[in-house]
Amino acid sequence: LGKIAVGLDSGDIHVYTFDPANPRNKENIEEVHHAKAHSARVMRTNFDEKNDRLFSIGEDKKLRIANTKTKEETSLRSFDKGLTDMVYNPDTKVAIVTDAGNNFYVIDMGHTVPAMNVKIRVEVAGPIRGLDVDWGRNLIFLCSYDDGVISIYKSTDLADTNMKPEPHALVKSFTKCRCSRYWSDRNEIFVGYTKGYMTVYKLDLENLKGKMIAMPACTRCLTRFLEL
């Protein structure tokens, strides 16, 4: 069965289970309501399907871990500001989380209560709103809302949560970015903005530079790129 989690501004989360072969069949849809999962807006949800866990972050500075069957939960609250984005690798049980205070965190999710092993402050105007990770190349991509800077960090091994990623490259984009997605095979990063437009940058990571190659337009604010 397929699952989708919807986080709301109220802090509630609704999890829907459905049949991927026939998603329009309402009889096969089951809903589980996580009331007041957060005390402020939910910013991101992720599933750990192997361990029946649902991760979520919110503007209440909380990383929440809930069992998808029992709804039992634990949380990590050692963050300076409201959380803005999260990427999780189920193979290594490592997560990268960003906050509104220009920080990103490397977190070991392999425990009942996650362990925050590394905290790095990014020297940008902030807040960090766009996040993506190339786990194979150990690269972290961070987009700053106020100044439009794309910061690229590199680690020796992101699977080792004690390793501290180091600054690798900077690309100047436009202000008010809301989301980003890195296409590894093409070496391109897609950035979406508040006013509905999107930029695509061809990255030359060896020479530490990027070049804008397209600017498709939308009519509304871009908030997320989907991974298919």
Side-chain angles (χ1 to χ4, degrees):
L1 295 176
K3 286 183 179 179
I4 186 170
V6 180
L8 306 181
D9 287 357
S10 65
D12 289 11
I13 297 175
H14 295 263
V15 179
Y16 298 93
T17 303
F18 61 94
D19 181 2
N22 188 13
R24 294 186 178 183
N25 188 346
K26 296 183 179 180
E27 295 180 358
N28 293 332
I29 296 177
E30 296 183 2
E31 178 185 2
V32 176
H33 181 203
H34 296 247
K36 298 301 178 183
H38 293 268
S39 60
R41 176 187 295 176
V42 179
M43 296 297 290
R44 191 78 157 102
T45 60
N46 282 277
F47 282 112
D48 178 11
E49 296 186 17
K50 294 181 180 178
N51 298 290
D52 297 316
R53 297 190 297 176
L54 169 65
F55 306 136
S56 59
I57 60 169
E59 291 182 342
D60 56 356
K61 309 179 187 180
K62 183 172 77 171
L63 166 58
R64 178 180 181 266
I65 305 94
N67 186 291
T68 56
K69 295 181 179 179
T70 66
K71 294 203 299 185
E72 294 180 357
E73 68 172 83
T74 57
S75 62
L76 180 64
R77 299 173 179 266
S78 305
F79 300 98
D80 294 343
K81 299 287 185 177
L83 303 181
T84 55
D85 211 341
M86 174 181 180
V87 176
Y88 173 66
N89 186 338
D91 295 325
T92 60
K93 294 183 172 61
V94 173
I96 307 295
V97 176
T98 58
D99 72 11
N102 304 353
N103 302 302
F104 76 90
Y105 307 82
V106 182
I107 300 177
D108 184 353
M109 303 293 289
H111 307 279
T112 302
V113 178
M116 182 194 298
N117 290 359
V118 173
K119 171 187 172 183
I120 296 177
R121 180 171 177 81
V122 184
E123 296 302 323
V124 292
I128 299 171
R129 292 301 304 266
L131 167 68
D132 204 4
V133 179
D134 185 335
W135 300 101
R137 297 183 185 179
N138 295 301
L139 295 170
I140 302 171
F141 301 87
L142 307 140
C143 294
S144 170
Y145 183 85
D146 285 344
D147 57 13
V149 172
I150 303 171
S151 302
I152 304 172
Y153 278 69
K154 187 175 178 62
S155 173
T156 304
D157 183 9
L158 280 175
D160 184 350
T161 56
N162 293 306
M163 294 291 293
K164 185 176 180 180
E166 299 291 340
H168 184 64
L170 293 175
V171 177
K172 185 64 176 74
S173 183
F174 299 95
T175 61
K176 298 184 179 180
C177 60
R178 293 289 300 270
C179 56
S180 63
R181 176 71 68 185
Y182 178 62
W183 191 342
S184 179
D185 292 342
R186 296 172 61 98
N187 229 16
E188 296 173 352
I189 186 166
F190 294 71
V191 183
Y193 302 87
T194 297
K195 292 186 178 181
Y197 61 89
M198 177 178 70
T199 55
V200 184
Y201 291 89
K202 188 74 173 181
L203 301 180
D204 182 352
L205 296 177
E206 292 184 1
N207 296 312
L208 308 183
K209 61 184 180 180
K211 178 182 179 181
M212 188 174 71
I213 60 174
M215 189 188 289
C218 299
T219 59
R220 296 292 180 90
C221 173
L222 292 174
T223 59
R224 184 71 58 197
F225 290 110
L226 299 179
E227 183 175 357
L228 301 177

